[in-house]
Amino acid sequence: MILHLIQRRGKGGWVLAIPLICGAILFILADAAGLGEKYARPATFFISAAIVWFFDKGHQLLHYGRNINKGQNTLMWIDMKFWAIPFAVAGAISLAVME
């Protein structure tokens, strides 16, 4: 039943992998450079949003006004490019609530 809910086709798995990879790299670089890890979480979300959006040709959605890859690269029946929106919102929220 879980496999039915988490249906994915194509590059949909990258939606989960890209933020994890970006986060690991940013936290390691921030720690190695001696910078605070204060901005690593919001930067992870914003960078992940940009990568996911352009990785699935989301910019062509704005250019042509239609979904070109409909149903090709999905995670939980949502096209990969549309996962960039929650990532950007999560980045804005984490930036707003930062101490």
Side-chain angles (χ1 to χ4, degrees), residues 32-48:
L35 303 171
E37 297 172 350
K38 183 177 183 181
Y39 293 106
R41 184 179 303 120
T44 297
F45 284 124
F46 287 130
I47 292 170
S48 298

Side-chain angles (χ1 to χ4, degrees), residues 27 39 56 61 63 97:
F27 276 102
Y39 293 106
D56 195 33
L61 176 68
H63 183 66
V97 300

Side-chain angles (χ1 to χ4, degrees), residues 53 57-70 81-82:
W53 179 257
K57 299 178 182 142
H59 59 288
Q60 289 182 357
L61 176 68
L62 298 177
H63 183 66
Y64 296 117
R66 59 189 161 104
N67 193 356
I68 296 170
N69 298 358
K70 187 167 186 167
K81 67 177 106 335
F82 297 119

Side-chain angles (χ1 to χ4, degrees), residues 3-30:
L3 291 176
H4 178 70
L5 293 175
I6 306 177
Q7 179 182 359
R8 61 179 176 81
R9 282 179 261 148
K11 300 180 275 188
W14 283 104
V15 172
L16 301 174
I18 289 173
L20 293 174
I21 293 169
C22 285
I25 291 172
L26 285 176
F27 276 102
I28 290 171
L29 288 177

Side-chain angles (χ1 to χ4, degrees), residues 2 4-9 12 15-16 73-79 83:
I2 298 290
H4 178 70
L5 293 175
I6 306 177
Q7 179 182 359
R8 61 179 176 81
R9 282 179 261 148
V15 172
L16 301 174
N73 302 318
T74 62
L75 179 71
M76 295 171 60
W77 298 290
I78 299 173
D79 285 351
W83 283 98

